Amino acid sequence: MIPSCQKYKENTGDITSQLVSAMNTHNNSGKNFLDVSFPDNPFDEAGLIHNQLITNILSNGYMDNDSLKFIEGFNLYTGFNIQNLNVFHHIMDEFYPLAFDNDGNYLSNFVNQLENIPNLEKQTLNTFFTEMEKYEDYSDKIYASKNAEAFIMENQNYTSFMKERLLSAMAIYRYSLHLWHTTLPNEEKGKCKWEDVYSRFDALGEYIAVTFGPEINELYGIVIEDGKDVYRYAGAVSLSAAITFTFIPWWFC
């Protein structure tokens, strides 16, 4: 048993090393890596649903410094039924400090403590998010994410369940990156690594929903029944940071 376990660990390291190489590989197939969409990913809609939710709330004035109006808009576009901002406080207080330090640098603590998630999946997530810190240009991040997604789709070491979670999370990352890159005012771009922090935390929102769904339901009455609910909850994670800076300006930076 020991040699077998050791072999698995070595293979896991090999796979994540291959992932890093894939993310940095230039692709001359003519695909447009500046286009945020990636139809090759069968879970691309995860990012699309995420962005639609946030865009609806932002564009219809539900973030205009009125917490009650925000709650109204959030319930309208998610189908959830929250009564206050406690769920957002919970996300920022419980999960955010496990994923980022005070400077917005990625931490592996949140992913590492996830239960019922294979080690390869955890290492893939941590590798993906850590590698993204190395890219400065927005288009390079989109390019690297699509390469990572293609690698996972083609690699037989990932089970169908692992692929669904990883590909959904990466689609959310990609779309969220695009949303915040185009939404944040120019003077905010790069401040405290906003784009990277938002997009990576949004992607982890899927894992918060999948892993802590029963707790979320019990505490806040948010029922997560299917994939679309998961993607909408990932939008809630995204908005947690946004409303923190809107309604609670003392938090972060």
Side-chain angles (χ1 to χ4, degrees):
M1 292 298 294
I2 294 178
S4 176
C5 292
Q6 183 64 35
K7 181 179 180 180
Y8 177 77
K9 290 179 181 179
E10 291 174 354
N11 287 342
T12 299
D14 290 343
I15 294 167
T16 52
S17 295
Q18 293 168 21
L19 171 66
V20 171
S21 296
M23 291 173 70
N24 288 282
T25 299
H26 291 284
N27 190 312
N28 297 317
S29 64
K31 293 182 179 179
N32 183 6
F33 285 92
L34 293 179
D35 182 0
V36 68
S37 66
F38 190 38
D40 290 356
N41 181 342
F43 302 100
D44 197 60
E45 73 161 1
L48 185 61
I49 291 171
H50 170 277
N51 277 24
Q52 285 176 338
L53 165 64
I54 299 174
T55 300
N56 284 334
I57 288 175
L58 292 174
S59 62
N60 287 291
Y62 289 106
M63 286 286 290
D64 293 344
N65 298 302
D66 184 334
S67 59
L68 292 179
K69 188 173 182 180
F70 168 78
I71 291 170
E72 175 190 345
F74 180 79
N75 287 337
L76 174 65
Y77 290 111
T78 61
F80 299 149
N81 185 29
I82 65 169
Q83 304 299 315
N84 50 53
L85 298 179
N86 287 345
V87 63
F88 303 100
H89 286 285
H90 180 73
I91 290 170
M92 295 302 290
D93 291 341
E94 297 295 323
F95 301 123
Y96 183 91
L98 293 173
F100 299 96
D101 65 18
N102 290 334
D103 295 320
N105 298 307
Y106 177 74
L107 303 174
S108 61
N109 298 348
F110 172 77
V111 168
N112 289 343
Q113 58 89 51
L114 291 173
E115 297 181 355
N116 301 319
I117 302 294
N119 187 51
L120 173 58
E121 187 172 350
K122 293 180 182 181
Q123 290 198 24
T124 298
L125 279 171
N126 285 331
T127 299
F128 177 80
F129 291 130
T130 300
E131 281 298 303
M132 282 301 172
E133 291 188 324
K134 300 177 182 180
Y135 300 100
E136 294 185 2
D137 186 74
Y138 158 78
S139 60
D140 288 341
K141 296 172 187 175
I142 297 293
Y143 178 91
S145 181
K146 290 185 179 183
N147 278 342
E149 294 163 53
F151 172 83
I152 290 169
M153 283 186 282
E154 296 169 1
N155 194 293
Q156 299 304 310
N157 290 283
Y158 297 98
T159 67
S160 58
F161 292 111
M162 293 166 69
K163 287 184 178 182
E164 179 176 357
R165 289 189 296 260
L166 287 167
L167 293 173
S168 297
M170 291 177 182
I172 291 171
Y173 168 85
R174 180 167 29 86
Y175 274 87
S176 176
L177 180 68
H178 175 74
L179 183 147
W180 295 115
H181 179 80
T182 56
T183 300
L184 287 172
N186 286 333
E187 62 269 18
E188 294 290 335
K189 293 184 187 300
K191 181 182 178 183
C192 297
K193 304 182 181 180
W194 285 124
E195 294 172 22
D196 284 332
V197 170
Y198 277 20
S199 52
R200 282 180 288 180
F201 197 42
D202 294 358
L204 290 177
E206 181 194 14
Y207 283 85
I208 294 175
V210 169
T211 307
F212 299 97
E215 174 186 336
I216 293 163
N217 183 11
E218 181 179 353
L219 291 174
Y220 308 109
I222 293 180
V223 179
I224 299 173
E225 297 181 326
D226 56 24
K228 289 187 177 181
D229 285 340
V230 170
Y231 307 153
R232 292 187 183 101
Y233 188 79
V237 172
S238 182
L239 290 165
S240 295
I243 69 164
T244 293
F245 310 135
T246 300
F247 305 127
I248 320 169
W250 51 264
W251 211 101
F252 196 63
C253 291

